[in-house]
């Protein structure tokens, strides 16, 4: 392998990694805070993409890429709150909440995917990128849109980290994830914080959808594959810290890029899932995790 | 004197088990009401249903300053001024000590950050938490200091009534002495306290009145010296003489 190939594999892995970090964040924060796995996360990614297309593209409302992206993210936040209220909150204090919400969020995913199909049809669409063309930096040729994605996602993850660590609302969200009962006794509205957490996860999933929709073709089931990857990332990284899944996302992105080059596209999921199973056996709390549920 | 907190006919069952049965009590401003009873007598369940964390009473009324609060949600009850600590030191482990207390200050005051931080630091000082450890992660603190963080968090809510659930459990005699001093200091500042405690010398020393539960039922109440001499209380703790 020459240096040029190595660099482009690494570049492609890093671009995938940063996208996976965004996708995994939502799954991780819902798991650590509400203690459930949200199977509708993939459908949120797809819905974010379609909404951005509708708001931004000329064939939709034609508001432009950035207005479309922002409106899609805001709408996804609201959708997240609604989904949490309808599909998760009724089972909040139930003994079997994990199993029940597997079923309800799977049902939610199915309903959302079918609604996307009904509203926008099965034909492939693509969000017009914010920037066309390529940029060359040394040995690396990057699509401009990928560069936009890397910058925006990095800024988003940084902003979320700052929000969780430095703001009263972020501190409350971390507190409620760590000790629900103590949080109630501190006067924190747990029901509201759960809804906001779910909304935040959906908004971030929507943003991931916007970027996927502008570098690949969109379909109502476009979130299925990202959901699997996000699951691999969360399990590989563990959820002990906000940054755990970010490290794991880059690891998965780079492994996927090398695996695609050496083993081929079709075998890459097998490689990733094999790795995930190995981690579950050897270090079940994740490569960067500790044995606890916390952010 | 008008009651700060009053319970009327509070009851809670779990299936066939009656955990709290028709309990009435009231506690006046600045008073310390001690609650004793053998393990499983319903003391902590009583605190649970007063605060609605994690569950509410099946029947009965709770009044704070004469206002019924049993229909409010748990966080609203906390914000109105019913603060509670747990038997086990219940903190937010990955947050620093001061952030733990800051959450309560923010929950109660809704003021600006500087005012809330000042309130949090004041509560930590009042609890006797070492100023040098404010930024230490709460999960890494020893048991006694975690208990102080929990008590400081409750104080930061600026409560009308403080519910302390076995603050002396798992502590050394020296640490128990410090808890006793802390309670005395809070009483000196006019705090109204409900205190569950197994360490009887501590309980009788700081309580103005004592009530004793057994199998969820109130079996005695009154002045501490009278209550601990009550045959029904002795029987509940030591069993019936054959």
């Amino acid at each position: 392998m020459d240096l040029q190939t190595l660099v482009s594999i690494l570049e492609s892995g890093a671009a995938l990694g940063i996208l996976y970090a965004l996708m995994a964040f939502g799954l991780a924060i819902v798991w650590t805070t509400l203690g459930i796995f949200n199977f509708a996360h993939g459908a949120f990614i797809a819905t974010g993409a379609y909404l951005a297309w509708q708001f931004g593209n000329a064939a939709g409302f034609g508001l432009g890429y950035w207005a479309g992206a922002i409106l899609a993210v805001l709408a996804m936040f609201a959708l997240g709150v609604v989904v949490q209220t309808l599909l998760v909150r009724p089972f909040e204090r139930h003994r079997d909440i994990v199993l029940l919400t597997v079923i309800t969020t799977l049902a939610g995913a199915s309903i959302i995917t079918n609604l996307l199909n009904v509203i926008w049809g099965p034909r492939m669409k693509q969000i017009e990128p914010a920037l066309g063309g390529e940029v060359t930096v040394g040995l690396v040729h990057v699509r401009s849109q990928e560069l936009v994605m890397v910058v925006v996602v990095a800024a988003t993850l940084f902003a979320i980290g700052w929000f969780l660590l430095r703001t009263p609302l972020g501190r409350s969200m971390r507190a409620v994830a760590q000790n629900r009962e103590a949080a109630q006794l501190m006067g924190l509205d747990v029901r509201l914080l759960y809804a906001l957490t779910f909304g935040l996860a959906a908004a971030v999933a929507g943003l991931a959808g916007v970027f996927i929709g502008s570098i690949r073709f969109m379909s109502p089931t476009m979130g299925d594959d990202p959901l699997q990857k996000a699951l691999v990332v969360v399990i590989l990284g563990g959820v002990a810290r906000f940054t755990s899944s970010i490290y794991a996302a880059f690891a998965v992105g780079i492994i996927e890029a090398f695996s695609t080059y050496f083993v081929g596209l079709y075998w890459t999921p097998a490689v990733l899932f094999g790795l995930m199973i190995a981690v579950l056996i050897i270090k079940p709390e994740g490569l960067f995790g500790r044995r606890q549920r916390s952010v | 004197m008008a009651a700060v907190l009053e319970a009327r006919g509070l009851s809670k069952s779990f299936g066939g088990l009656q955990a709290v049965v028709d309990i009435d009590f009231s506690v006046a401003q600045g008073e310390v009401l001690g609650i004793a009873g053998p393990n499983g007598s319903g003391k902590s369940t009583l605190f649970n249903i007063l605060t609605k964390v994690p569950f509410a009473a099946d029947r009965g009324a709770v009044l704070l300053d004469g206002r019924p609060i049993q229909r409010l949600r748990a966080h609203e009850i906390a914000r109105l001024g019913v603060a509670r600590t747990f038997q086990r030191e219940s903190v937010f482990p990955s947050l620093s000590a001061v952030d733990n207390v800051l959450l309560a200050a923010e929950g109660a005051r809704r003021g600006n950050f500087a005012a809330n931080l000042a309130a949090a630091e004041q509560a930590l000082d009042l609890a006797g938490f070492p100023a040098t450890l404010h930024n230490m992660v709460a999960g890494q603190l020893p048991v006694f200091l975690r208990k102080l963080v929990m008590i400081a968090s409750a104080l930061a809510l600026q409560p009308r009534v403080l519910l302390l659930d076995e603050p002396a459990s798992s502590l050394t005699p020296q640490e128990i002495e410090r808890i006793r001093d802390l309670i005395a200091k809070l009483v000196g500042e006019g705090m109204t306290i409900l205190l569950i405690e197994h360490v009887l010398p501590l309980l009788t020393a700081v309580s103005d009145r004592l009530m004793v539960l057994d199998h969820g039922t109130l079996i005695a109440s009154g002045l501490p010296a009278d209550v601990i001499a009550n045959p029904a209380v002795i029987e509940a703790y030591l069993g019936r003489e054959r």
Side-chain angles (χ1 to χ4, degrees):
Chain A
M1 183 173 27
D2 59 17
L3 187 61
Q4 171 76 54
T5 312
L6 179 67
V7 169
S8 62
I9 290 174
L10 285 174
E11 179 269 318
S12 147
L16 278 176
I18 203 156
L19 200 53
Y20 290 166
L22 199 62
M23 298 185 309
F25 164 77
L27 274 188
I29 197 168
V30 165
W31 168 249
T32 52
T33 308
L34 285 82
I36 63 157
F37 189 85
N38 174 24
F39 277 96
H41 200 68
F44 285 167
I45 291 172
T47 311
Y50 275 96
L51 287 174
W53 181 90
Q54 183 65 43
F55 287 126
N57 263 41
F61 300 148
L63 301 174
Y65 184 87
W66 292 112
I70 291 166
L71 289 172
V73 167
L74 292 176
M76 285 311 298
F77 179 86
L79 180 68
V81 171
V82 170
V83 167
Q84 194 271 340
T85 306
L86 295 178
L87 302 182
V88 181
R89 184 180 296 170
F91 313 105
E92 223 168 59
R93 303 298 289 179
H94 201 287
R95 210 170 29 155
D96 298 322
I97 181 172
V98 176
L99 186 61
L100 285 167
T101 51
V102 163
I103 297 162
T104 56
T105 56
L106 267 176
S110 174
I111 293 166
I112 292 170
T113 307
N114 283 302
L115 279 175
L116 297 179
N117 225 336
V118 169
I119 298 169
W120 284 286
R123 283 185 66 181
M124 297 276 198
K125 290 182 166 48
Q126 192 170 24
I127 299 170
E128 226 167 86
L131 283 178
E134 272 193 2
V135 181
T136 305
V137 185
L139 287 170
V140 192
H141 306 287
V142 195
R143 278 198 283 171
S144 307
Q145 177 60 23
E146 275 187 6
L147 210 58
V148 169
M149 178 182 88
V150 168
V151 171
V152 174
V153 174
T156 304
L157 289 173
F158 182 80
I160 291 170
W162 181 84
F163 164 76
L164 287 174
L165 287 174
R166 297 275 173 248
T167 66
L169 184 57
R171 200 165 28 244
S172 302
M173 285 164 93
R174 290 166 65 214
V176 93
Q178 291 176 36
N179 193 335
R180 176 197 163 109
E181 291 174 354
Q184 283 177 304
L185 289 173
M186 298 300 109
L188 302 183
D189 186 347
V190 171
R191 197 185 282 174
L192 176 71
L193 288 166
Y194 278 2
L196 293 179
T197 302
F198 215 88
L200 177 65
V204 173
L207 183 64
V210 175
F211 288 120
I212 298 174
S214 50
I215 54 177
R216 296 182 198 161
F217 283 108
M218 292 155 48
S219 75
T221 55
M222 65 182 275
D224 294 356
D225 180 58
L227 175 68
Q228 286 181 12
K229 298 288 166 54
L231 174 65
V232 173
V233 167
V234 170
I235 289 173
L236 276 185
V239 290
R241 282 178 292 268
F242 169 65
T243 45
S244 304
S245 52
I246 299 179
Y247 301 143
F250 277 103
V252 168
I254 286 169
I255 292 166
E256 182 174 341
F258 274 101
S259 169
T260 307
Y261 182 81
F262 286 109
V263 191
L265 189 63
Y266 287 99
W267 280 99
T268 296
V271 170
L272 289 176
F273 278 106
L275 197 65
M276 183 185 88
I277 291 166
V279 168
L280 278 174
I281 293 168
I282 299 161
K283 203 168 180 296
E285 68 274 22
L287 293 176
F288 312 101
R290 283 167 293 184
R291 286 182 181 276
Q292 61 180 29
R293 267 205 311 124
S294 156
V295 274
Chain B
M1 198 182 284
V4 173
L5 188 72
E6 190 177 349
R8 292 180 191 159
L10 279 184
S11 298
K12 179 73 188 175
S13 303
F14 301 100
L17 174 74
Q18 291 193 300
V20 171
V21 186
D22 208 16
I23 295 285
D24 293 305
F25 72 84
S26 72
V27 56
Q29 176 71 50
E31 190 184 22
V32 179
L33 174 62
I35 304 171
N39 282 331
S41 59
K43 304 184 298 297
S44 292
T45 306
L46 180 62
F47 274 14
N48 291 344
I49 58 182
L50 286 171
T51 54
K52 287 181 99 171
V53 175
F55 43 68
D58 297 334
R59 283 193 313 281
V62 183
L63 291 91
L64 182 69
D65 293 317
R67 176 188 168 186
I69 56 169
Q70 75 272 15
R71 289 191 184 280
L72 300 177
R73 290 171 58 205
H75 72 279
E76 293 168 330
I77 293 172
R79 284 181 192 174
L80 277 179
V82 181
R84 182 237 174 120
T85 66
F86 285 103
Q87 187 177 342
R88 283 173 175 271
E89 58 291 354
S90 172
V91 293
F92 305 110
S94 87
L95 268 58
S96 69
V98 70
D99 275 356
N100 265 271
V101 186
L102 184 57
L103 273 168
E106 285 166 346
R109 293 165 63 94
R110 306 272 157 212
N112 64 32
F113 178 77
N116 289 335
L117 185 62
E121 287 174 340
Q122 202 181 349
L124 280 165
D125 290 345
L126 180 59
F129 187 86
T132 48
L133 299 179
H134 278 197
N135 289 318
M136 186 139 169
V137 173
Q140 292 174 358
L141 292 168
V143 174
F144 177 61
L145 293 181
R146 269 183 278 163
K147 287 212 176 219
L148 292 187
V149 167
M150 191 168 57
I151 294 172
S153 300
L155 293 174
L157 278 170
Q158 298 183 318
R160 290 285 297 133
V161 56
L162 180 60
L163 278 53
L164 296 172
D165 192 349
E166 293 197 39
S169 70
S170 324
L171 298 184
T172 64
Q174 292 80 10
E175 290 166 345
I176 292 173
E177 202 53 40
R178 284 186 61 185
I179 292 287
R180 178 182 167 151
D181 293 345
L182 173 58
I183 294 172
K185 187 159 77 171
L186 294 175
V187 171
E189 296 196 357
M191 182 70 76
T192 308
I193 297 175
L194 255 68
L195 173 66
I196 294 176
E197 192 47 76
H198 272 303
V199 180
L200 280 179
L202 171 63
L203 190 64
T204 51
V206 299
S207 300
D208 298 308
R209 281 188 300 130
L210 209 57
M211 63 182 205
V212 180
L213 303 184
D214 190 29
H215 297 295
T217 311
L218 183 66
I219 58 167
S221 69
L223 295 173
D226 298 340
V227 168
I228 57 172
N230 184 320
V233 174
I234 295 168
E235 187 185 313
Y237 268 94
L238 301 176
R240 189 188 296 268
E241 202 175 340
R242 288 174 196 276

